[in-house]
Amino acid sequence: MTVDVSELVRLRGHRPEAIAEAAARRPRRPLLNDSGRLMIVAADHPARGALGVGGRAMAMANRAELLERLCLALSRPGVDGVLATADILDDLLLLGALDGKVVLGSMNRGGLQGASFELDDRFTGHRPEDIERLGFDAGKLLLRIDYADPGSLTTLESTARAVDAMAARKLPVFVEPFLCGRDATGRLRNDLSAEAVTKSIAIASGLGGSSAYTWLKVPVTDNPDDMAEVMATSTLPAVLLGGEVGDDQDGAYEKWRGALQLPTVCGLVVGRSLLYPADGDVAAAVDTAVGLL
């Protein structure tokens, strides 16, 4: 579909209540369907100032193009829903693209990419009450832990309270944990070793007063053969995150395919690698990822 930016601006300017109205009448579905599998397209990167894909530093900066790619991805068979921040979800509501889809609100985007405070990842996105008010289906939060950065403690505590608030509303929350550290240039790097991912899962699983509504959103380790042992760390349901895969799309598919066979892994949450594939074919990339499920 072609996104009419002028119409979106007109609605936002003259009838801002149209967003809440669209949310109220949106047909909903269960988080999991009969297959027990979940395929979610992620588009919450821009709110952290993370606009790059591959060698294109500003690839996600064109909002109309991003929305068109999202609408195409959401129209493909087997795609269950989307993860995004309020601005993007509001646009998709106005476009009618969220009807009958699973909607995940992105909760903490304050840890801006490259900032000195990146690990003090404040909750600047959807609050639990926003997700409840809009009739969305779940929330997602990012938990990056650097043992050398005190900002991680603030994020850790805030995450626990968010888990509590979501559980009180009986709303699922997807926790995306990483152990990380800064390299010689000061850039934050996620540790994808089996030991680090195992520890991050153990930490995330124990946050809050109840884990009843907690899901995990986890990466595939550097060595995919380690995933069975890593995922044995918790009984919480989990989805795999895609991340940026570069030009080796086929290699990424193979990593996901193996991990998707594990008993706690229920699906995929993939963003840039499907919305901006190296060959430009969004529909084919999405269809291939769906086929892995």
Side-chain angles (χ1 to χ4, degrees):
M1 69 177 293
T2 300
V3 171
D4 186 344
V5 173
S6 297
E7 178 60 13
L8 288 176
V9 173
R10 187 192 68 78
L11 284 170
R12 284 179 170 277
H14 292 276
R15 292 196 64 247
E17 66 275 12
I19 294 170
E21 292 168 0
R25 65 174 178 264
R26 180 178 74 90
R28 296 181 62 180
R29 49 153 279 182
L31 180 67
L32 287 175
N33 57 25
D34 292 340
S35 73
R37 306 295 257 175
L38 199 59
M39 177 69 207
I40 301 293
V41 179
D44 57 347
H45 313 82
R48 285 188 56 241
L51 300 168
V53 180
R56 299 172 57 195
M58 292 288 135
M60 299 186 77
N62 186 312
R63 181 52 54 89
E65 180 187 353
L66 174 57
L67 291 171
E68 288 170 0
R69 289 170 181 262
L70 277 168
C71 289
L72 174 57
L74 286 166
S75 73
R76 303 305 297 172
V79 174
D80 294 290
V82 64
L83 158 66
T85 46
D87 55 332
I88 293 174
L89 293 182
D90 290 347
D91 282 338
L92 292 173
L93 281 169
L94 293 174
L95 292 168
L98 300 183
D99 291 355
K101 297 295 182 181
V102 171
V103 182
L104 279 63
S106 189
M107 302 173 74
N108 63 327
R109 309 309 290 168
L112 303 184
Q113 186 180 56
S116 61
F117 53 84
E118 188 167 352
L119 286 172
D120 187 352
D121 202 346
R122 304 294 176 94
F123 282 69
T124 57
H126 286 99
R127 301 167 299 173
E129 54 263 42
D130 298 321
I131 295 171
E132 181 180 48
R133 169 177 52 84
L134 291 163
F136 292 162
D137 305 289
K140 173 261 177 180
L141 55 87
L142 179 61
L143 175 63
R144 291 170 297 178
I145 302 167
D146 181 352
Y147 282 31
D149 191 322
S152 292
L153 179 58
T154 302
T155 305
L156 198 63
E157 183 179 22
S158 300
T159 297
R161 300 294 74 80
V163 168
D164 288 338
M166 292 293 280
R169 292 169 169 81
K170 299 182 179 180
L171 286 169
V173 58
F174 289 69
V175 181
E176 180 181 346
F178 289 100
L179 293 192
C180 57
R182 296 190 183 275
D183 62 18
T185 68
R187 184 176 179 181
L188 202 63
R189 302 286 186 182
N190 294 325
D191 186 346
L192 299 184
S193 67
E195 181 180 355
V197 177
T198 297
K199 286 183 177 180
S200 72
I201 289 173
I203 293 167
S205 298
L207 292 175
S210 171
S211 65
Y213 292 89
T214 303
W215 284 59
L216 298 173
K217 181 172 178 272
V218 298
V220 177
T221 50
D222 288 329
N223 182 354
D225 293 338
D226 294 328
M227 283 299 288
E229 185 175 356
V230 167
M231 295 309 298
T233 308
S234 174
T235 58
L236 298 183
V239 292
L240 302 177
L241 66 94
E244 193 166 1
V245 301
D247 294 330
D248 189 14
Q249 193 84 20
D250 291 338
Y253 291 143
E254 285 306 310
K255 287 183 177 182
W256 299 342
R257 179 178 286 109
L260 282 165
Q261 308 308 311
L262 299 173
T264 61
V265 178
C266 301
L268 284 168
V269 178
V270 189
R272 290 171 289 186
S273 57
L274 298 187
L275 294 173
Y276 297 86
D279 63 3
D281 192 339
V282 175
V286 171
D287 292 348
T288 302
V290 169
L292 301 177
L293 299 175

